[in-house]
Amino acid sequence: MTGRPELPGELRSAAAHERAGTAPGEPFEIGYGQARIPALPGETFGAALTAAGVRSWRRTRFGGRPRGLFCGIGACFDCLLPVNGGPPVRACLTEAAPGDTAAPPEAPLPRPAAPPPADDPGPPRGYDVAVVGAGPAGLAAALAAADRGQRVVLVDAGARPGGQYHRQPPRPFGARRPEALQPDGTARAAEAALTAHPLVTLHSGESVWAAEPAADGFTLHLTGGGAVRVRAVVVATGAHDLALPFPGWDLPGVFTAGGAQALVKGQLTLPGRRVVVAGTGPLLLPVAATLAEAGATVLGVFDANHPARWLRRLPAALGHAGRLREAAHYLRILRRHRIPVRYRRAVVAAHGGSGVEAVTLARLAPDWTPLPGARHRRRLAADAVAVGFGFVAGVELPLALGCATVPDPAGLPVVVTDHSGRTSVAGVYAAGEVTGVGGARLAAVEGELAGRAVAADLAATGPAPATGADARLRRRRARLRRFAAALAEVYPVRPGWRGWLDGDTLVCRCEEVPLSRIRHAVEDLAATEPRAVKLTTRAGMGMCQGRICGPALATLLAAGSGAGPGVDATPLAGRPIVAPVPLGTVAAAARPPDPGRGDHGLDSPAR
Amino acid sequence: MALLKRPRSGPSGTTTTPPRGADVVVVGAGIVGAACADELSAAGLSTVVVERAGVGTGTTGAGEGNILVSDKEPGPELALALLSNALWRRIGEEVAGSPGAGIALEAKGGIVVATGDAELAALHRFADRQRAAGVVAEPLDPARARELEPYLTPDLAGAVHYPQDMQVQPVLAAATLLHRARARGARLVTGAEVVGLARDRDGRIAAVRTTAGDVATRYVVNAAGLGAPAVAALAGAHLPVQPRRGFILVTEPLPPMVHAKVYDADYVSNVASDDSGLRTSTVVEATDGGTILIGASRERVGLDPGFRVDVLARLAQQAIRLFPALAGVRAIRAYRGFRPYLPDHLPVIGAEPAVPGLLHAAGHEGAGIGLAPATGRLIRQLVTGEEPALDPAPFRPDRPALRPSGVPA
Ligand SMILES: Cc1cc2nc3c(=O)[nH]c(=O)nc-3n(C[C@H](O)[C@H](O)[C@H](O)COP(=O)(O)OP(=O)(O)OC[C@H]3O[C@@H](n4cnc5c(N)ncnc54)[C@H](O)[C@@H]3O)c2cc1C
Ligand SMILES: Cc1cc2nc3c(=O)[nH]c(=O)nc-3n(C[C@H](O)[C@H](O)[C@H](O)COP(=O)(O)OP(=O)(O)OC[C@H]3O[C@@H](n4cnc5c(N)ncnc54)[C@H](O)[C@@H]3O)c2cc1C
Ligand code: FES
């Protein structure tokens, strides 16, 4: 190892630090109840606690169940942690600072106290285009629009631009090769280009909590206070992991696949030492590879589907040499680490007291029903599980703006666009996973198309002439979409997962609603509609607002045989408050005075 | 094997096809239809409830569950509210024992807060009149109010405590009332819309046409909420129920912070407002899930589905004015509903004179949860010919305020 200071804690990955070429600052201590735990500058509370061997820092309200990190990206709210006597924050997102003290579960919950009055956010600032989300799609859209003369405000909830695919370690880690964990330097290049661009204003670490139409455009309200007024919006809010319940899925140590990936790529910290990777889909291979390269013992990759289905889809796969090479690259890494890859297997239970100690693997029938008999089950000692079944698009903003959606192959709503990202609402564009799962490359192509389209629409009064470059991008998009459709067919969610559950399995983690209570609502109280079930059981009414349980709940209630046609999770997907926001900030969002045409050149969008 | 069975069919179940005949058909499985089915089935009448969507998915699923006497002026609505209050208390006790069938009834009382001296004087005058009508209303000085609600603003002139105020979880309550009606033999048909009312030669109701089949019956109870005018029109009757939009803000779950239902004394003047503009007056209350509900605004904007951030801002401002510590608490959700209201702000409960056999139970505006059991009781008494528990005349469908000419433009 180089001259880097010793990293405190076993789960901080020396290998990942080495590969990224970090030069972290001096570790400092934060308080955790009576204990002191080390943290690196730039680290989140979640990573520091995990590295210190603390897997759980919260007990649930009703059942006193231990909770810690799960989704890793701010979607699930399992990781809530009271800091410095204030309201609980999401430990996966919140950076620790010297002198901070976090409260352990036994501490009484902090009493709400009036915060000091916030600074007056001032009148809304005017721009031409707001891009929401700085993943591959949003980065490409912002640059494409700004390069064509539009004043762009880019709002992203992450601490640093990049989104999920291009997640970078925090700046204070001083990584010389931040892209080493994701062999693609796009994010750093894009970040540099954005920062240097005179027409781009970047708001990192802030969410849009509400969006509404305004005269000649839209008003977006920001969690940091204040609002922006724009003529057009590009929604590039990405997705979060699709999680399906199984007994023990809420034990600390169970992560979503993307969440485990985010912890390693973003914080260079391992979710555990002995990790099982399970679920289905193309993300499982890179997640296992990242974990293994960062020093975890990956006990296996267990996909509930079977790749034989690929044979039938071969024509769609051909012509995607890049994607196939990428998969081969990950498989080589897994082989090097002697990691088995098995199909028609699933983690059907996680066991442990305060965190995962073991999992039960089961062989599955083609519809994912566990095969009967003990010989088809195996117990494996593990301290972490990374499990993912695909992605759930972040459609709250487009729904709030009235954009049309369609159910994707899993029944989850995605935004409908034309080939250039125009949604059904004039002035609103969408790109990336929010329009359907398709991976980072497709997201970037769609972002660029949307950025070009918004610039052309705002500049022109008639239809914009398509250039040769536009046509090439559209062809690429069409090709990548065909590939995405093939992937969706190879990695469907099959209804047999419902057979993994027992009556006590929580379906809604936030409100601790077990399957038995949902059964009672449906069978005894005749609450058959998704909304009626929600209102009678509280499933989906907790902090995450059904982001995690909504898709599973929709599948459970579907009249047909489960996922696929018949499931429509759209009724559970609308959230006019897109991100939790202090009431003080809501109170300050009184009707914004119109910045007016004169000041900002606001004009009606051309479409 | 299906993991979730469809609701059991048979005598205590629900179906997607209605039976051939019944004594009474109730249209709508909101809180009002549920309360009517509860009472009618208790009277031994065979009852069928026809709901086009799901249980409680209309306005009932978008309301708070306040059961208030505190906000009502002496008059027919207060009389209905007092009867309902007693009935809700009884229902709460009756269903408490059955496992999982609670309705989250909490008799937590209400506290109405006045921030200025003039407001306080008006509040005290209002409370005096209510007391004369049978409401329990206890004046609180600021110190006592803050003893009961430690997070209340120190800037208050005084308050009045209304121990009779309660709350339920509305959809759970509707589902539970329907559950016990079904246990008495009532049938619930969901996913079926009432599309026709057949009448015999004398003009009397003979059958109900639904998208899932016909039911022969002599009585129809129109508890279709905002759909009530359309159901009335199926028999050529006129019912001017209209929507009044409301938003509610919901916070993250918190340790106990607000104990009673707390609201500003200006609420009373807002409820009876004829102004079509925006009105907000905040009721702040905790739910048994630990969240705090802040509601609700009142706007007459038709069925406009939009959300208005400035309206949410008003709600937040008023809640923070009552409880300054709420400023640091996060809102996690906002929802919207449309109250079914009538021009004179009273529900219709009674027989449609032009159509024998048709009764209306609709238009409860922002109080349908609270007023449902008494509405069901009156409907039952009107159908069976029992002595009504209170004078039904003010709720008559043919009262002058509801005649087409009486509708303000
Ligand atoms: C946790 C996770 C990890 C993943 N890791 C990988 C991986 O390693 N390799 C891989 O190939 N694919 C990965 N994926 C798949 C990934 O979704 C795509 O490859 C790609 O990142 C999609 O790009 P995008 O631009 O559409 O969205 P994203 O990259 O998801 O970017 C969306 C951005 O929008 C922000 N955002 C969302 N809502 C708001 C709001 N209201 N206000 C402000 N900002 C908002 C988010 O914080 C995020 O930064 C991962 C997915 C997830 C969920
Ligand atoms: C924001 C807000 C806050 C509120 N707070 C409170 C409160 O705190 N306390 C209180 O007491 N009240 C409150 N209310 C009012 C209360 O919610 C309503 O008064 C009550 O829910 C009305 O119940 P309902 O059964 O008449 O109507 P609904 O619940 O709308 O039920 C009518 C049903 O009829 C069905 N239907 C309609 N047409 C047909 C047809 N042709 N065939 C079959 N079925 C049909 C509908 O699908 C619907 O389910 C509030 C309302 C709002 C919007
Ligand atoms: S782990 Fe922090 S929100 Fe999910």
PDB file of all heavy atoms in Angstrom, chain A residues 61 88 111 520 523-524 531 535 545 581 583-584 586-587, chain B residues 5 8 57 151 169 179 182 289 317 327 329-331 333:
ATOM      1  N   ARG A  61     -41.034   2.249  15.276  1.00  0.00           N
ATOM      2  CA  ARG A  61     -41.968   2.795  16.267  1.00  0.00           C
ATOM      3  C   ARG A  61     -42.850   1.735  16.896  1.00  0.00           C
ATOM      4  O   ARG A  61     -43.172   1.791  18.061  1.00  0.00           O
ATOM      5  CB  ARG A  61     -42.928   3.792  15.586  1.00  0.00           C
ATOM      6  CG  ARG A  61     -42.320   5.063  15.161  1.00  0.00           C
ATOM      7  CD  ARG A  61     -43.348   5.882  14.411  1.00  0.00           C
ATOM      8  NE  ARG A  61     -43.566   5.361  13.073  1.00  0.00           N
ATOM      9  CZ  ARG A  61     -44.695   5.497  12.407  1.00  0.00           C
ATOM     10  NH1 ARG A  61     -45.729   6.090  12.960  1.00  0.00           N
ATOM     11  NH2 ARG A  61     -44.807   5.011  11.190  1.00  0.00           N
ATOM     12  N   PRO A  88     -34.440  13.728  12.672  1.00  0.00           N
ATOM     13  CA  PRO A  88     -33.660  12.662  12.051  1.00  0.00           C
ATOM     14  C   PRO A  88     -33.332  12.980  10.589  1.00  0.00           C
ATOM     15  O   PRO A  88     -34.165  13.523   9.866  1.00  0.00           O
ATOM     16  CB  PRO A  88     -34.591  11.443  12.119  1.00  0.00           C
ATOM     17  CG  PRO A  88     -35.661  11.802  13.075  1.00  0.00           C
ATOM     18  CD  PRO A  88     -35.757  13.286  13.105  1.00  0.00           C
ATOM     19  N   ARG A 111     -37.233  16.078  20.706  1.00  0.00           N
ATOM     20  CA  ARG A 111     -38.488  16.831  20.662  1.00  0.00           C
ATOM     21  C   ARG A 111     -38.378  17.872  19.565  1.00  0.00           C
ATOM     22  O   ARG A 111     -37.354  18.550  19.472  1.00  0.00           O
ATOM     23  CB  ARG A 111     -38.705  17.528  21.991  1.00  0.00           C
ATOM     24  CG  ARG A 111     -38.748  16.563  23.153  1.00  0.00           C
ATOM     25  CD  ARG A 111     -40.109  16.595  23.770  1.00  0.00           C
ATOM     26  NE  ARG A 111     -40.625  15.239  23.912  1.00  0.00           N
ATOM     27  CZ  ARG A 111     -41.922  14.955  23.892  1.00  0.00           C
ATOM     28  NH1 ARG A 111     -42.795  15.903  23.685  1.00  0.00           N
ATOM     29  NH2 ARG A 111     -42.335  13.732  24.050  1.00  0.00           N
ATOM     30  N   HIS A 520     -56.258  -9.335   5.705  1.00  0.00           N
ATOM     31  CA  HIS A 520     -57.468  -8.996   6.460  1.00  0.00           C
ATOM     32  C   HIS A 520     -58.236  -7.878   5.740  1.00  0.00           C
ATOM     33  O   HIS A 520     -59.459  -7.942   5.590  1.00  0.00           O
ATOM     34  CB  HIS A 520     -57.079  -8.556   7.867  1.00  0.00           C
ATOM     35  CG  HIS A 520     -58.184  -7.938   8.660  1.00  0.00           C
ATOM     36  ND1 HIS A 520     -59.264  -8.660   9.100  1.00  0.00           N
ATOM     37  CD2 HIS A 520     -58.397  -6.665   9.055  1.00  0.00           C
ATOM     38  CE1 HIS A 520     -60.087  -7.849   9.751  1.00  0.00           C
ATOM     39  NE2 HIS A 520     -59.588  -6.635   9.733  1.00  0.00           N
ATOM     40  N   GLU A 523     -59.676  -9.519   2.390  1.00  0.00           N
ATOM     41  CA  GLU A 523     -60.624 -10.619   2.497  1.00  0.00           C
ATOM     42  C   GLU A 523     -61.780 -10.317   3.441  1.00  0.00           C
ATOM     43  O   GLU A 523     -62.895 -10.747   3.204  1.00  0.00           O
ATOM     44  CB  GLU A 523     -59.886 -11.887   2.943  1.00  0.00           C
ATOM     45  CG  GLU A 523     -58.916 -12.354   1.858  1.00  0.00           C
ATOM     46  CD  GLU A 523     -58.011 -13.478   2.316  1.00  0.00           C
ATOM     47  OE1 GLU A 523     -58.198 -13.979   3.441  1.00  0.00           O
ATOM     48  OE2 GLU A 523     -57.105 -13.842   1.537  1.00  0.00           O
ATOM     49  N   ASP A 524     -61.510  -9.572   4.509  1.00  0.00           N
ATOM     50  CA  ASP A 524     -62.576  -9.309   5.475  1.00  0.00           C
ATOM     51  C   ASP A 524     -63.202  -7.932   5.296  1.00  0.00           C
ATOM     52  O   ASP A 524     -64.398  -7.762   5.449  1.00  0.00           O
ATOM     53  CB  ASP A 524     -62.046  -9.438   6.899  1.00  0.00           C
ATOM     54  CG  ASP A 524     -61.523 -10.841   7.167  1.00  0.00           C
ATOM     55  OD1 ASP A 524     -62.104 -11.789   6.613  1.00  0.00           O
ATOM     56  OD2 ASP A 524     -60.535 -10.977   7.899  1.00  0.00           O
ATOM     57  N   ARG A 531     -55.861   1.812  -3.379  1.00  0.00           N
ATOM     58  CA  ARG A 531     -55.988   2.954  -2.474  1.00  0.00           C
ATOM     59  C   ARG A 531     -56.758   2.594  -1.211  1.00  0.00           C
ATOM     60  O   ARG A 531     -56.454   3.070  -0.115  1.00  0.00           O
ATOM     61  CB  ARG A 531     -56.660   4.132  -3.184  1.00  0.00           C
ATOM     62  CG  ARG A 531     -55.634   5.160  -3.627  1.00  0.00           C
ATOM     63  CD  ARG A 531     -56.227   6.355  -4.360  1.00  0.00           C
ATOM     64  NE  ARG A 531     -57.608   6.681  -4.077  1.00  0.00           N
ATOM     65  CZ  ARG A 531     -58.009   7.511  -3.106  1.00  0.00           C
ATOM     66  NH1 ARG A 531     -57.147   8.110  -2.339  1.00  0.00           N
ATOM     67  NH2 ARG A 531     -59.280   7.752  -2.927  1.00  0.00           N
ATOM     68  N   LEU A 535     -55.413   2.874   2.612  1.00  0.00           N
ATOM     69  CA  LEU A 535     -56.075   3.667   3.639  1.00  0.00           C
ATOM     70  C   LEU A 535     -56.562   2.823   4.806  1.00  0.00           C
ATOM     71  O   LEU A 535     -56.721   3.328   5.911  1.00  0.00           O
ATOM     72  CB  LEU A 535     -57.238   4.441   3.018  1.00  0.00           C
ATOM     73  CG  LEU A 535     -56.776   5.558   2.060  1.00  0.00           C
ATOM     74  CD1 LEU A 535     -57.900   5.997   1.149  1.00  0.00           C
ATOM     75  CD2 LEU A 535     -56.230   6.746   2.842  1.00  0.00           C
ATOM     76  N   GLN A 545     -43.390   6.896   1.599  1.00  0.00           N
ATOM     77  CA  GLN A 545     -44.582   7.155   0.789  1.00  0.00           C
ATOM     78  C   GLN A 545     -44.805   6.078  -0.279  1.00  0.00           C
ATOM     79  O   GLN A 545     -45.199   6.371  -1.402  1.00  0.00           O
ATOM     80  CB  GLN A 545     -44.496   8.547   0.168  1.00  0.00           C
ATOM     81  CG  GLN A 545     -44.709   9.645   1.189  1.00  0.00           C
ATOM     82  CD  GLN A 545     -46.130   9.629   1.711  1.00  0.00           C
ATOM     83  OE1 GLN A 545     -47.076   9.889   0.981  1.00  0.00           O
ATOM     84  NE2 GLN A 545     -46.301   9.264   2.972  1.00  0.00           N
ATOM     85  N   VAL A 581     -40.104  17.863   3.154  1.00  0.00           N
ATOM     86  CA  VAL A 581     -39.674  19.263   3.187  1.00  0.00           C
ATOM     87  C   VAL A 581     -40.173  19.882   4.488  1.00  0.00           C
ATOM     88  O   VAL A 581     -41.306  19.640   4.892  1.00  0.00           O
ATOM     89  CB  VAL A 581     -40.222  19.997   1.935  1.00  0.00           C
ATOM     90  CG1 VAL A 581     -41.727  19.854   1.809  1.00  0.00           C
ATOM     91  CG2 VAL A 581     -39.821  21.460   1.930  1.00  0.00           C
ATOM     92  N   LEU A 583     -41.898  22.108   7.180  1.00  0.00           N
ATOM     93  CA  LEU A 583     -43.089  22.950   7.038  1.00  0.00           C
ATOM     94  C   LEU A 583     -42.708  24.423   6.937  1.00  0.00           C
ATOM     95  O   LEU A 583     -43.397  25.203   6.287  1.00  0.00           O
ATOM     96  CB  LEU A 583     -44.026  22.729   8.231  1.00  0.00           C
ATOM     97  CG  LEU A 583     -44.833  21.436   8.186  1.00  0.00           C
ATOM     98  CD1 LEU A 583     -45.527  21.203   9.524  1.00  0.00           C
ATOM     99  CD2 LEU A 583     -45.858  21.482   7.057  1.00  0.00           C
ATOM    100  N   GLY A 584     -41.592  24.804   7.582  1.00  0.00           N
ATOM    101  CA  GLY A 584     -41.146  26.189   7.478  1.00  0.00           C
ATOM    102  C   GLY A 584     -40.844  26.565   6.036  1.00  0.00           C
ATOM    103  O   GLY A 584     -41.128  27.686   5.596  1.00  0.00           O
ATOM    104  N   VAL A 586     -42.239  25.028   3.411  1.00  0.00           N
ATOM    105  CA  VAL A 586     -43.534  25.070   2.732  1.00  0.00           C
ATOM    106  C   VAL A 586     -44.203  26.417   2.990  1.00  0.00           C
ATOM    107  O   VAL A 586     -44.728  27.060   2.074  1.00  0.00           O
ATOM    108  CB  VAL A 586     -44.453  23.924   3.216  1.00  0.00           C
ATOM    109  CG1 VAL A 586     -45.805  23.986   2.516  1.00  0.00           C
ATOM    110  CG2 VAL A 586     -43.807  22.569   2.975  1.00  0.00           C
ATOM    111  N   ALA A 587     -44.143  26.856   4.255  1.00  0.00           N
ATOM    112  CA  ALA A 587     -44.811  28.110   4.622  1.00  0.00           C
ATOM    113  C   ALA A 587     -44.237  29.288   3.840  1.00  0.00           C
ATOM    114  O   ALA A 587     -44.948  30.240   3.531  1.00  0.00           O
ATOM    115  CB  ALA A 587     -44.670  28.356   6.123  1.00  0.00           C
TER     116      ALA A 587
ATOM    117  N   LYS B   5     -57.039 -14.176  -1.292  1.00  0.00           N
ATOM    118  CA  LYS B   5     -58.306 -14.600  -1.855  1.00  0.00           C
ATOM    119  C   LYS B   5     -59.146 -13.364  -2.107  1.00  0.00           C
ATOM    120  O   LYS B   5     -59.026 -12.365  -1.410  1.00  0.00           O
ATOM    121  CB  LYS B   5     -59.033 -15.521  -0.878  1.00  0.00           C
ATOM    122  CG  LYS B   5     -58.302 -16.831  -0.668  1.00  0.00           C
ATOM    123  CD  LYS B   5     -59.174 -17.827   0.058  1.00  0.00           C
ATOM    124  CE  LYS B   5     -59.323 -17.510   1.528  1.00  0.00           C
ATOM    125  NZ  LYS B   5     -58.161 -17.742   2.350  1.00  0.00           N
ATOM    126  N   ARG B   8     -64.658 -13.093   0.380  1.00  0.00           N
ATOM    127  CA  ARG B   8     -65.570 -14.230   0.335  1.00  0.00           C
ATOM    128  C   ARG B   8     -66.922 -13.795  -0.205  1.00  0.00           C
ATOM    129  O   ARG B   8     -67.428 -12.755   0.149  1.00  0.00           O
ATOM    130  CB  ARG B   8     -65.774 -14.764   1.752  1.00  0.00           C
ATOM    131  CG  ARG B   8     -64.649 -15.635   2.222  1.00  0.00           C
ATOM    132  CD  ARG B   8     -64.988 -16.208   3.579  1.00  0.00           C
ATOM    133  NE  ARG B   8     -64.869 -15.206   4.623  1.00  0.00           N
ATOM    134  CZ  ARG B   8     -63.713 -14.852   5.174  1.00  0.00           C
ATOM    135  NH1 ARG B   8     -62.596 -15.389   4.755  1.00  0.00           N
ATOM    136  NH2 ARG B   8     -63.667 -13.965   6.130  1.00  0.00           N
ATOM    137  N   THR B  57     -63.209   4.920  -1.558  1.00  0.00           N
ATOM    138  CA  THR B  57     -62.274   5.534  -2.507  1.00  0.00           C
ATOM    139  C   THR B  57     -62.788   6.871  -3.039  1.00  0.00           C
ATOM    140  O   THR B  57     -62.101   7.522  -3.817  1.00  0.00           O
ATOM    141  CB  THR B  57     -61.968   4.600  -3.694  1.00  0.00           C
ATOM    142  OG1 THR B  57     -63.197   4.156  -4.241  1.00  0.00           O
ATOM    143  CG2 THR B  57     -61.153   3.410  -3.253  1.00  0.00           C
ATOM    144  N   TYR B 151     -46.862  22.507  23.293  1.00  0.00           N
ATOM    145  CA  TYR B 151     -46.182  23.114  22.145  1.00  0.00           C
ATOM    146  C   TYR B 151     -46.944  24.297  21.554  1.00  0.00           C
ATOM    147  O   TYR B 151     -46.503  24.904  20.584  1.00  0.00           O
ATOM    148  CB  TYR B 151     -45.950  22.067  21.055  1.00  0.00           C
ATOM    149  CG  TYR B 151     -44.826  21.125  21.386  1.00  0.00           C
ATOM    150  CD1 TYR B 151     -45.060  19.947  22.084  1.00  0.00           C
ATOM    151  CD2 TYR B 151     -43.519  21.428  21.004  1.00  0.00           C
ATOM    152  CE1 TYR B 151     -44.024  19.089  22.396  1.00  0.00           C
ATOM    153  CE2 TYR B 151     -42.477  20.578  21.315  1.00  0.00           C
ATOM    154  CZ  TYR B 151     -42.730  19.411  22.008  1.00  0.00           C
ATOM    155  OH  TYR B 151     -41.700  18.569  22.317  1.00  0.00           O
ATOM    156  N   GLN B 169     -60.592   6.838  11.760  1.00  0.00           N
ATOM    157  CA  GLN B 169     -59.918   6.691  10.460  1.00  0.00           C
ATOM    158  C   GLN B 169     -61.035   6.410   9.464  1.00  0.00           C
ATOM    159  O   GLN B 169     -61.669   5.360   9.526  1.00  0.00           O
ATOM    160  CB  GLN B 169     -58.933   5.531  10.563  1.00  0.00           C
ATOM    161  CG  GLN B 169     -57.704   5.670   9.705  1.00  0.00           C
ATOM    162  CD  GLN B 169     -58.014   5.427   8.240  1.00  0.00           C
ATOM    163  OE1 GLN B 169     -59.070   5.752   7.712  1.00  0.00           O
ATOM    164  NE2 GLN B 169     -57.076   4.866   7.548  1.00  0.00           N
ATOM    165  N   HIS B 179     -68.476  -4.180   7.004  1.00  0.00           N
ATOM    166  CA  HIS B 179     -68.170  -5.530   7.455  1.00  0.00           C
ATOM    167  C   HIS B 179     -69.279  -6.042   8.362  1.00  0.00           C
ATOM    168  O   HIS B 179     -69.769  -7.162   8.208  1.00  0.00           O
ATOM    169  CB  HIS B 179     -66.832  -5.517   8.194  1.00  0.00           C
ATOM    170  CG  HIS B 179     -66.400  -6.845   8.721  1.00  0.00           C
ATOM    171  ND1 HIS B 179     -66.127  -7.910   7.900  1.00  0.00           N
ATOM    172  CD2 HIS B 179     -66.200  -7.279   9.983  1.00  0.00           C
ATOM    173  CE1 HIS B 179     -65.766  -8.940   8.635  1.00  0.00           C
ATOM    174  NE2 HIS B 179     -65.805  -8.587   9.903  1.00  0.00           N
ATOM    175  N   ARG B 182     -72.443  -6.696   6.447  1.00  0.00           N
ATOM    176  CA  ARG B 182     -72.358  -7.947   5.704  1.00  0.00           C
ATOM    177  C   ARG B 182     -72.549  -9.143   6.619  1.00  0.00           C
ATOM    178  O   ARG B 182     -73.138 -10.158   6.230  1.00  0.00           O
ATOM    179  CB  ARG B 182     -71.027  -8.034   4.968  1.00  0.00           C
ATOM    180  CG  ARG B 182     -71.065  -7.258   3.650  1.00  0.00           C
ATOM    181  CD  ARG B 182     -69.703  -6.833   3.183  1.00  0.00           C
ATOM    182  NE  ARG B 182     -68.739  -7.904   3.275  1.00  0.00           N
ATOM    183  CZ  ARG B 182     -67.470  -7.736   3.665  1.00  0.00           C
ATOM    184  NH1 ARG B 182     -67.032  -6.551   3.997  1.00  0.00           N
ATOM    185  NH2 ARG B 182     -66.676  -8.759   3.717  1.00  0.00           N
ATOM    186  N   GLY B 289     -50.922   6.912  13.884  1.00  0.00           N
ATOM    187  CA  GLY B 289     -49.663   6.543  13.260  1.00  0.00           C
ATOM    188  C   GLY B 289     -48.525   7.487  13.628  1.00  0.00           C
ATOM    189  O   GLY B 289     -47.393   7.271  13.202  1.00  0.00           O
ATOM    190  N   GLN B 317     -48.356  27.853   7.153  1.00  0.00           N
ATOM    191  CA  GLN B 317     -48.218  29.081   7.947  1.00  0.00           C
ATOM    192  C   GLN B 317     -49.147  29.056   9.156  1.00  0.00           C
ATOM    193  O   GLN B 317     -48.750  29.390  10.276  1.00  0.00           O
ATOM    194  CB  GLN B 317     -48.583  30.315   7.088  1.00  0.00           C
ATOM    195  CG  GLN B 317     -47.511  30.716   6.097  1.00  0.00           C
ATOM    196  CD  GLN B 317     -48.071  31.622   4.990  1.00  0.00           C
ATOM    197  OE1 GLN B 317     -49.234  32.039   5.039  1.00  0.00           O
ATOM    198  NE2 GLN B 317     -47.242  31.906   3.998  1.00  0.00           N
ATOM    199  N   ALA B 327     -42.341  24.249  12.443  1.00  0.00           N
ATOM    200  CA  ALA B 327     -41.551  24.793  11.325  1.00  0.00           C
ATOM    201  C   ALA B 327     -40.409  23.865  10.932  1.00  0.00           C
ATOM    202  O   ALA B 327     -40.029  23.795   9.770  1.00  0.00           O
ATOM    203  CB  ALA B 327     -41.018  26.174  11.679  1.00  0.00           C
ATOM    204  N   VAL B 329     -40.457  20.577  11.325  1.00  0.00           N
ATOM    205  CA  VAL B 329     -40.971  19.234  11.056  1.00  0.00           C
ATOM    206  C   VAL B 329     -41.236  19.095   9.564  1.00  0.00           C
ATOM    207  O   VAL B 329     -41.702  20.023   8.927  1.00  0.00           O
ATOM    208  CB  VAL B 329     -42.271  19.022  11.870  1.00  0.00           C
ATOM    209  CG1 VAL B 329     -43.022  17.803  11.394  1.00  0.00           C
ATOM    210  CG2 VAL B 329     -41.948  18.932  13.360  1.00  0.00           C
ATOM    211  N   ARG B 330     -40.930  17.919   9.007  1.00  0.00           N
ATOM    212  CA  ARG B 330     -41.083  17.766   7.565  1.00  0.00           C
ATOM    213  C   ARG B 330     -42.486  17.315   7.154  1.00  0.00           C
ATOM    214  O   ARG B 330     -43.066  16.435   7.780  1.00  0.00           O
ATOM    215  CB  ARG B 330     -40.080  16.747   7.033  1.00  0.00           C
ATOM    216  CG  ARG B 330     -38.681  17.325   6.938  1.00  0.00           C
ATOM    217  CD  ARG B 330     -37.658  16.259   6.787  1.00  0.00           C
ATOM    218  NE  ARG B 330     -37.599  15.437   7.984  1.00  0.00           N
ATOM    219  CZ  ARG B 330     -36.599  14.601   8.248  1.00  0.00           C
ATOM    220  NH1 ARG B 330     -35.615  14.462   7.398  1.00  0.00           N
ATOM    221  NH2 ARG B 330     -36.599  13.892   9.357  1.00  0.00           N
ATOM    222  N   ALA B 331     -42.972  17.919   6.114  1.00  0.00           N
ATOM    223  CA  ALA B 331     -44.188  17.424   5.459  1.00  0.00           C
ATOM    224  C   ALA B 331     -43.755  16.290   4.542  1.00  0.00           C
ATOM    225  O   ALA B 331     -42.746  16.403   3.853  1.00  0.00           O
ATOM    226  CB  ALA B 331     -44.842  18.526   4.641  1.00  0.00           C
ATOM    227  N   ARG B 333     -46.338  14.439   2.764  1.00  0.00           N
ATOM    228  CA  ARG B 333     -47.422  14.114   1.838  1.00  0.00           C
ATOM    229  C   ARG B 333     -48.425  15.252   1.837  1.00  0.00           C
ATOM    230  O   ARG B 333     -48.601  15.949   2.839  1.00  0.00           O
ATOM    231  CB  ARG B 333     -48.106  12.837   2.324  1.00  0.00           C
ATOM    232  CG  ARG B 333     -49.242  12.335   1.494  1.00  0.00           C
ATOM    233  CD  ARG B 333     -49.448  10.854   1.716  1.00  0.00           C
ATOM    234  NE  ARG B 333     -49.638  10.522   3.119  1.00  0.00           N
ATOM    235  CZ  ARG B 333     -50.780  10.127   3.636  1.00  0.00           C
ATOM    236  NH1 ARG B 333     -51.826  10.007   2.879  1.00  0.00           N
ATOM    237  NH2 ARG B 333     -50.871   9.839   4.910  1.00  0.00           N
TER     238      ARG B 333
END
